[in-house]
Amino acid sequence: MEALAHVNLPRMMDEVDDLATRYRAGQPFPHIVLDDVLLPEVFARATAEFPGIRDEFWKGYLHVNETKYSNTQPDSWGPTLRAVAEDFCSPSFVEFLSRLTGIEALMPDWSMDGGGLHQTLRGGHLNIHADFTTHHEHDNWARRVNILLYLNQEWNSDEWGGKLELWDPEMTACQAKVTPAGNRMLVFTTTFDSFHGHPDPLTCPDDVARRSMALYYFTEEEKAVRRSTNYQARPDESISKKAAVWADRRALDVYDRFKRRLGVSDEAVQKILSRVDRLRRR
């Protein structure tokens, strides 16, 4: 197995059998939380390189079900962040994920379809959801595994919120919460009902963001089943909130189909919407 310069892979591989047992036992769906994933000096460099809140490469996902920003262009990242992502796409790390999850023939995705760097600002949220299930450029790629590496230098969840909630398939109860502590990675199996999110608006300071790197891993299937991101309201939320979540989910499903059929990029749609918004405000 090749050595990785940025990820503490030898330690994780030494423990992979025990980790795999814990992963399979994860509730409400297979998952595990791993701490100290990056070497300490690498984590320090990565957080120092993380783009500023107003960086020009941030792309906003701003609608009823989420208010967050992403950067899916590794060429715009600092050298450490890019190298970390390269390690996560390496054969050695993918082999670790296969042994951890029990899913063979996993493929990394350097195109960052749905992945990349993410930030959520004060007031931002991400409603409970299950991720879209197939790659937008490869219809036969089924999305199987999600990794989230938190890149916060500090995060006070008790005051700021932002814990990731993991919900059961029937959306009756939150069964686990993950604090987005720095250098912590959440790994979980992506299915039609692996519901997760942080729906409550963040209360962090204006100059602080909830920061992470996300990558997804796929398997090639003869007939992969397409489903767009499946947002859900929590059971105790108001009827109006449930209606808004449902309506936004339906609209996003139409957009997802449109995007796949015509090959339209998120960037192109955002440019159009920005122009429409400017005209509306005149």
Side-chain angles (χ1 to χ4, degrees):
M1 176 176 290
E2 64 180 314
L4 301 182
H6 304 86
V7 179
N8 198 353
L9 190 60
R11 174 180 60 82
M12 294 190 292
M13 283 300 295
D14 287 344
E15 303 172 0
V16 69
D17 292 336
D18 177 61
L19 295 176
T21 299
R22 290 165 49 197
Y23 184 90
R24 290 191 298 269
Q27 294 295 327
F29 45 80
H31 75 276
I32 197 166
V33 174
L34 304 171
D35 286 317
D36 302 320
V37 171
L38 302 183
L39 300 175
E41 64 275 15
V42 173
F43 175 71
R45 294 199 305 269
T47 55
E49 289 177 9
F50 201 89
I53 286 175
R54 306 302 174 193
D55 188 86
E56 62 179 315
F57 289 100
W58 287 121
K59 176 173 60 180
Y61 292 93
L62 311 173
H63 51 92
V64 169
N65 279 307
E66 64 178 312
T67 49
K68 72 175 184 180
Y69 297 82
S70 74
N71 178 334
T72 60
Q73 303 178 53
D75 288 344
S76 73
W77 303 355
T80 306
L81 287 169
R82 180 184 171 93
V84 167
E86 289 173 344
D87 276 4
F88 288 153
C89 290
S90 69
S92 291
F93 190 80
V94 174
E95 179 184 344
F96 165 74
L97 286 181
S98 288
R99 292 184 60 181
L100 176 68
T101 64
I103 302 173
E104 298 182 354
L106 286 173
M107 302 182 299
D109 175 35
W110 189 251
S111 74
M112 305 290 170
D113 187 28
L117 300 181
H118 292 162
Q119 71 166 0
T120 306
L121 309 181
R122 179 182 177 86
H125 74 292
L126 176 61
N127 280 343
I128 304 300
H129 66 285
D131 294 312
F132 63 83
T133 58
T134 57
H135 197 283
H136 283 92
E137 296 178 4
H138 306 281
D139 291 341
N140 62 332
W141 284 21
R143 196 164 168 178
R144 304 296 302 280
V145 175
N146 185 351
I147 68 170
L148 295 172
L149 175 69
Y150 295 110
L151 292 168
N152 304 299
Q153 291 177 317
E154 63 169 325
W155 190 262
N156 187 340
S157 288
D158 291 337
E159 294 186 9
W160 301 345
K163 290 184 180 181
L164 193 75
E165 300 180 4
L166 310 184
W167 281 71
D168 66 276
E170 293 77 26
M171 281 298 300
T172 60
C174 173
Q175 296 189 356
K177 293 185 180 182
V178 180
T179 298
N183 211 6
R184 169 172 289 174
M185 176 181 285
L186 171 66
V187 185
F188 65 91
T189 299
T190 300
T191 64
F192 296 141
D193 52 16
S194 53
F195 292 120
H196 61 284
H198 55 98
D200 298 317
L202 299 183
T203 56
C204 54
D206 290 334
D207 60 348
V208 173
R210 184 183 186 276
R211 312 191 304 184
S212 62
M213 176 187 292
L215 279 87
Y216 302 98
Y217 300 80
F218 298 78
T219 56
E220 193 169 4
E221 307 290 340
E222 184 176 347
K223 293 183 179 180
V225 178
R226 184 210 73 88
R227 289 191 184 177
S228 59
T229 304
N230 183 8
Y231 291 99
Q232 298 284 320
R234 292 176 292 187
D236 61 346
E237 290 177 322
S238 68
I239 293 176
S240 60
K241 172 68 176 292
K242 291 177 180 177
V245 169
W246 178 87
D248 191 57
R249 182 177 72 228
R250 292 298 298 252
L252 290 170
D253 182 60
V254 171
Y255 167 65
D256 186 77
R257 294 174 186 272
F258 177 78
K259 177 180 175 182
R260 292 173 188 273
R261 182 168 299 178
L262 299 182
V264 179
S265 68
D266 288 332
E267 290 83 358
V269 172
Q270 285 188 331
K271 288 179 181 177
I272 294 171
L273 293 177
S274 296
R275 291 170 185 164
V276 170
D277 187 57
R278 286 196 296 269
L279 289 172
R280 179 184 60 81
R281 288 181 292 168
R282 285 181 179 177

